[in-house]
Amino acid sequence: MPADYATLPFDEAIRFFRQKTNLNTSAWTDIWQEAHDKSFVVAGAARDELVADFRAAIDQAISEGTGLKAFQQQFDDIVAKHGWSYKGGRGWRTRVIYQTNMQTAYQAGRYAQLTDPDLLKLRPYWQYKHSDFVADPRLEHVAWSGTVLRADDPWWKTHYPPNGWGCRCTVVAIGKRQLARMGKDGPDQAPPIEWEDKTVGTRGPSPRTVRVPKGIDPGWAYTPGRSWVEGVTPPPLPGGLLPIIPFAGMPPLEPLDPRPVSSDRLLADDLDDQAYIDAFLSEFGVRAPDRWTYYQDVAGEMLVISDALFRERDGSLKVGKRGRAPYVRLLADTIKDPDEIREAWAEWGDRRVLRRRYVARWQIDGTDVPLVTVFETGPQGWVGVTAHSVRTAAQLDQRSRRGAALIYRRRKK
């Protein structure tokens, strides 16, 4: 019998699903790949109450293992309640919604387990496993089955399952002894990736062409859960803050009164990069030889704080961008004790991506002009920005806050 993931709930899958934000969409292409790690959507569901009811039904399926038939009954009730007119047949549509959420939550939970540092020490290899219970197997997935690669092989970034609609492939951890029993003295060579162009959204208002590896459906060439587990410490973005996609009904911004801060929080401007990084990490209790820690912000979001925040994509250190190096302690304070936390959908190429912004305004002893600090993070990268002059501070204040949904505001003392 095939594994019914709905009957196998576990904590990692539940936590992954419950940290998502509801989002209204008009088409399945509105949210792309890694953005699904942070957003719950049902294609074509464009009302808050409708999305919330579907989310509750899927949450019950994941946490209680209620199964497809129970979800289909809930689907019928939700459609009747809201008068929702959806595309596709009822059987097909319910299976797509149900299986997509079940599979991605299950595999994201598996990814969290597989990347546990203690497990990786014992089993540093992953094996691709194709399900034998798929009615119409993809030939590429069958060919990949049995392949053993290191857990950090770049191939997994695009080929970690599920790799398409209805895909039920999975990954298992392999140790050196198991590798030897397979007759292997090392991992396999990663299968070659053949890229092809495909057009998506042909039935919607904005069709576009995307590149995907052959054998993977468009929109599935990513690792479900990776940005949830690791994406909070991505490398720095090469540019500044991503442009926010505004939404209607944004209330007027309340002014942020600057908080007094001692000039002792600033560092000299002639230190080496590692000294600035160590100063930032020490604010979170991280000291050599450890290089990372989990940190839960005041709104309950779990962040991974590490020196990866100051490394370029090639691994080199880069601390001094935008003159922020002397202010790294205040950037840490911005994360730990922000005036506001805001979330916004921003433009990332031709995609919408969810970004989280920590904003604080300071008055440094001996200065006349308030300082604004912003720390923005998301799966695509992070940005730390400081602004000093009256004009640039005002510009940054508006750019970082206007159009972004308020998640948290610090109480005035």
Side-chain angles (χ1 to χ4, degrees):
M1 291 293 291
D4 183 354
Y5 297 125
T7 65
L8 300 173
F10 62 99
D11 290 343
E12 288 85 351
I14 295 170
R15 288 203 304 270
F16 168 75
F17 184 78
R18 289 183 175 172
Q19 56 82 41
K20 292 189 176 190
T21 299
N22 291 356
L23 183 68
N24 300 339
T25 57
S26 59
W28 72 272
T29 53
D30 287 351
I31 300 301
W32 198 249
Q33 300 199 157
E34 292 90 346
H36 285 281
D37 279 357
K38 284 289 187 179
S39 56
F40 173 75
V41 299
V42 174
R47 298 198 303 274
D48 292 343
E49 297 81 3
L50 177 61
V51 176
D53 284 349
F54 276 127
R55 183 196 181 110
I58 292 296
D59 186 285
Q60 186 177 11
I62 293 174
S63 60
E64 300 179 17
T66 50
L68 175 59
K69 289 185 178 179
F71 173 74
Q72 288 176 327
Q73 181 58 58
Q74 290 174 303
F75 177 90
D76 294 340
D77 294 341
I78 293 169
V79 168
K81 173 183 176 181
H82 296 279
W84 185 46
S85 178
Y86 57 89
K87 296 180 180 179
R90 183 251 192 189
W92 171 81
R93 193 64 196 272
T94 53
R95 283 194 301 273
V96 167
I97 297 172
Y98 176 84
Q99 291 178 354
T100 298
N101 282 283
M102 293 299 106
Q103 287 289 92
T104 53
Y106 179 84
Q107 295 299 350
R110 287 281 295 152
Y111 183 83
Q113 293 176 335
L114 292 169
T115 53
D116 179 89
D118 292 333
L119 180 60
L120 282 173
K121 289 179 182 178
L122 296 174
R123 300 188 175 190
Y125 308 104
W126 290 351
Q127 184 180 39
Y128 192 100
K129 300 283 274 188
H130 179 265
S131 172
D132 294 330
F133 298 96
V134 176
D136 187 19
R138 296 168 172 87
L139 297 181
E140 292 87 357
H141 297 195
V142 174
W144 299 332
S145 189
T147 300
V148 177
L149 303 173
R150 284 191 58 86
D152 58 359
D153 192 292
W155 191 81
W156 295 116
K157 292 183 178 181
T158 51
H159 289 70
Y160 184 94
N163 286 313
W165 307 103
C167 172
R168 303 194 69 171
C169 298
T170 191
V171 168
V172 296
I174 299 294
K176 292 182 178 179
R177 290 183 180 179
Q178 291 168 295
L179 200 66
R181 286 198 293 267
M182 295 176 185
K184 301 176 184 288
D185 55 7
D188 299 319
Q189 183 174 356
I193 301 177
E194 180 181 347
W195 294 88
E196 54 186 2
D197 293 335
K198 290 192 175 183
T199 302
V200 298
T202 55
R203 297 182 181 180
S206 304
R208 66 180 187 271
T209 300
V210 296
R211 296 196 74 206
V212 295
K214 188 176 181 180
I216 296 180
D217 292 346
W220 292 86
Y222 77 105
T223 302
R226 184 172 184 266
S227 67
W228 170 56
V229 175
E230 303 171 353
V232 288
T233 54
L237 280 175
L241 301 177
L242 295 183
I244 289 176
I245 301 171
F247 64 90
M250 176 68 187
L253 293 175
E254 292 188 13
L256 294 179
D257 297 328
R259 282 179 278 167
V261 62
S262 172
S263 58
D264 292 341
R265 295 296 289 163
L266 275 60
L267 298 174
D269 58 7
D270 58 353
L271 305 180
D272 60 35
D273 283 353
Q274 192 61 56
Y276 291 119
I277 293 174
D278 290 342
F280 178 88
L281 294 179
S282 67
E283 294 297 315
F284 299 91
V286 180
R287 292 176 174 82
D290 296 329
R291 304 311 302 162
W292 69 276
T293 189
Y294 286 112
Y295 179 77
Q296 186 174 30
D297 70 23
V298 292
E301 180 79 354
M302 293 299 296
L303 304 179
V304 177
I305 302 296
S306 77
D307 63 355
L309 290 170
F310 297 96
R311 291 189 181 276
E312 298 286 9
R313 296 178 187 275
D314 62 2
S316 61
L317 294 176
K318 190 66 174 179
V319 180
K321 282 186 175 181
R322 305 176 187 89
R324 66 183 175 222
Y327 303 92
V328 292
R329 286 177 176 167
L330 288 182
L331 281 176
D333 292 338
T334 303
I335 299 172
K336 295 166 64 177
D337 188 19
D339 287 325
E340 291 182 345
I341 300 176
R342 292 180 174 270
E343 283 193 345
W345 290 96
E347 296 176 351
W348 175 250
D350 60 354
R351 291 186 286 155
R352 292 181 177 184
V353 294
L354 188 65
R355 307 288 293 172
R356 190 173 182 88
R357 289 180 176 175
Y358 301 79
V359 184
R361 183 183 283 265
W362 314 93
Q363 186 73 57
I364 302 173
D365 291 348
T367 64
D368 297 326
V369 180
L371 170 74
V372 174
T373 54
V374 178
F375 184 92
E376 178 188 90
T377 188
Q380 307 74 27
W382 75 281
V383 180
V385 185
T386 59
H388 312 271
S389 72
V390 174
R391 181 179 179 183
T392 57
Q395 290 174 340
L396 180 59
D397 184 68
Q398 292 292 310
R399 185 179 181 190
S400 62
R401 300 170 66 211
R402 185 168 299 282
L406 182 66
I407 303 299
Y408 164 86
R409 175 174 286 133
R410 186 177 64 89
R411 291 183 178 181
K412 295 182 180 180
K413 296 181 179 179

